[in-house]
Amino acid sequence: MNVPVKTPVSETSWLEAVAWDAQGLVPVITQEAASGEILMLAWMNREALSLTVAEGRAIYWSRSRNRLWRKGEASGHVQWVKEIRLDCDNDVVLLKVEQISGIACHTGRKSCFFQRLESGVWQAVDPVLKAPEDIYR
Amino acid sequence: MNVPVKTPVSETSWLEAVAWDAQGLVPVITQEAASGEILMLAWMNREALSLTVAEGRAIYWSRSRNRLWRKGEASGHVQWVKEIRLDCDNDVVLLKVEQISGIACHTGRKSCFFQRLESGVWQAVDPVLKAPEDIYR
């Protein structure tokens, strides 16, 4: 009689559960844990998500620069991860973070979603908290 | 002397400002306006975003069914739009909505992001508020 062998859970099985797209990426929504404000949307590959979990800080895959992007590496605006969630289709990740300095956007605003549609026009409605030339120098 | 002719702003210029991807789509984060809770991420094409603005309710493009998807058309779980935002790269939209019945997910949960990473395992941590077989019938 063949006794089924219990397969050990792979250390990376949670990574394999993610429904990576054809480019091996998944969109990641980043939300400020304390306020609930949505800060940005970026992308991760397996390595980025694995490193994010291992280091406890947001590490994305930059599609424009085609390399890992440790959020805050240039600006100091690191995102410390408080919680990681996955949606019902396993194809979107949600990070709840503490945003160092309270600035996520490269424009110097808190959130990247600072343009609001008003009477058919996108209006920048949130203040610049720090000038980009003072962030990146 | 040639006098520059002032070009009238097209009624759809706000639609053209969106950085549609190669498939003509943009990812859309949907957030409950009152609580700040993230409900879901879906996709829109030009027609879906245009109709969303015109009708004041979330209308997505279903990539799996390849057709417009009026959120709530089967479930009744309509999303009334309170605010529309665009991110700094113009390639992600944020909808702030009132979620009818308080259920966005097809599993009967409030949010699609009900799986939390805990010690290397995705755990379903949010309650099912209504059984799917009672939603879709």
Side-chain angles (χ1 to χ4, degrees):
Chain A
M1 181 182 148
N2 288 321
V3 179
V5 177
K6 189 176 175 187
T7 307
V9 175
S10 159
E11 283 181 23
T12 57
S13 63
W14 64 274
L15 269 180
E16 301 311 318
V18 175
W20 305 98
D21 73 10
Q23 285 74 47
L25 302 176
V26 69
V28 179
I29 304 167
T30 307
Q31 181 180 37
E32 189 174 55
S35 69
E37 191 165 347
I38 298 176
L39 300 175
M40 54 186 283
L41 182 139
W43 297 78
M44 290 187 182
N45 60 8
R46 282 176 179 74
E47 186 182 9
L49 182 53
S50 181
L51 286 170
T52 294
V53 170
E55 300 186 18
R57 60 177 283 189
I59 300 174
Y60 304 103
W61 177 257
S62 170
R63 296 182 303 169
S64 56
R65 289 172 289 176
N66 222 42
R67 67 165 177 84
L68 287 175
W69 164 34
R70 291 168 186 273
K71 176 67 179 167
E73 63 193 4
S75 63
H77 300 168
V78 170
Q79 295 172 335
W80 296 109
V81 176
K82 301 298 176 185
E83 191 174 312
I84 304 180
R85 290 186 174 232
L86 186 65
D87 80 339
C88 52
D89 294 328
N90 299 338
D91 63 0
V92 186
V93 169
L94 167 61
L95 288 189
K96 297 189 185 189
V97 305
E98 177 191 356
Q99 174 63 64
I100 296 303
S101 89
I103 298 174
C105 186
H106 75 286
T107 65
R109 294 177 177 88
K110 178 174 183 179
S111 164
C112 293
F113 294 92
F114 59 82
Q115 302 180 96
R116 188 165 64 198
L117 189 61
E118 296 183 350
S119 305
V121 179
W122 297 108
Q123 299 280 10
V125 295
D126 296 333
V128 173
L129 303 175
K130 189 172 180 179
E133 55 267 30
D134 293 331
I135 298 175
Y136 304 97
R137 57 175 179 185
Chain B
M1 181 183 146
N2 287 320
V3 179
V5 177
K6 189 176 176 188
T7 308
V9 174
S10 160
E11 283 180 23
T12 57
S13 63
W14 63 275
L15 269 179
E16 301 312 318
V18 175
W20 305 97
D21 73 8
Q23 285 74 45
L25 301 176
V26 68
V28 179
I29 303 168
T30 307
Q31 180 180 36
E32 190 174 55
S35 68
E37 189 165 347
I38 298 176
L39 299 175
M40 54 186 284
L41 182 140
W43 297 78
M44 289 186 184
N45 60 8
R46 282 175 178 76
E47 187 183 8
L49 182 53
S50 180
L51 285 171
T52 294
V53 170
E55 301 187 16
R57 60 178 283 188
I59 300 174
Y60 303 104
W61 177 257
S62 169
R63 297 182 303 169
S64 56
R65 289 172 288 176
N66 222 41
R67 67 166 177 85
L68 287 176
W69 163 34
R70 291 168 185 272
K71 176 68 179 167
E73 63 193 7
S75 63
H77 300 167
V78 170
Q79 295 172 336
W80 295 109
V81 176
K82 301 296 178 186
E83 192 174 312
I84 304 181
R85 289 186 174 233
L86 186 65
D87 81 339
C88 53
D89 294 327
N90 299 337
D91 63 359
V92 185
V93 168
L94 167 60
L95 288 189
K96 299 192 184 187
V97 305
E98 177 192 356
Q99 175 64 64
I100 296 303
S101 88
I103 298 175
C105 186
H106 75 287
T107 65
R109 294 176 176 89
K110 178 174 184 179
S111 164
C112 293
F113 294 91
F114 59 83
Q115 304 181 95
R116 188 165 63 199
L117 189 61
E118 296 182 350
S119 305
V121 179
W122 297 107
Q123 299 279 10
V125 295
D126 296 332
V128 174
L129 303 176
K130 189 172 180 179
E133 57 267 30
D134 292 331
I135 298 174
Y136 303 97
R137 59 175 177 184

